[in-house]
Amino acid sequence: MIPPVVLGALIVGVPAVLVAYLTLFKAPRAILWFAFALIAVGLGYLAATGALVDIADAVLGNEPLPVTEPSPVSP
C-alpha cells in the first residue's frame, strides 16, 4: 500500500507538473525547470504541514485521526 504522504503528493503533484509542462512547453527550458522547482517546494511545504495526508484521506474517504484538545493550564 502506498503511504498517504506519497499518495497526496501524487494527487497534487502530477496534475501540477502536467499543467506546467503543457503551458510552458514552448517557453525557455529554464522557465519550465523553475516551475518544476516551485512545484517541488510547494509539495515540500504541504508535506511539512501534513496537508498531503489530509488530501489523501479526503480522496480515499478515510476518516482523519482525532485531534485531542490540550488540557487547560491552571495558574
Side-chain angles (χ1 to χ4, degrees):
M1 176 155 214
I2 299 174
V5 174
V6 174
L7 185 63
L10 289 174
I11 291 170
V12 174
V14 170
V17 167
L18 206 78
V19 167
Y21 180 77
L22 291 175
T23 57
L24 298 172
F25 178 71
K26 296 204 184 229
R29 289 289 150 202
I31 295 173
L32 179 64
W33 285 107
F34 184 67
F36 290 159
L38 289 177
I39 291 169
V41 168
L43 288 175
Y45 173 76
L46 290 175
T49 59
L52 291 179
V53 175
D54 295 339
I55 291 168
D57 287 341
V59 170
L60 293 177
N62 297 340
E63 292 188 25
L65 295 174
V67 177
T68 58
E69 293 189 25
S71 59
V73 178
S74 58

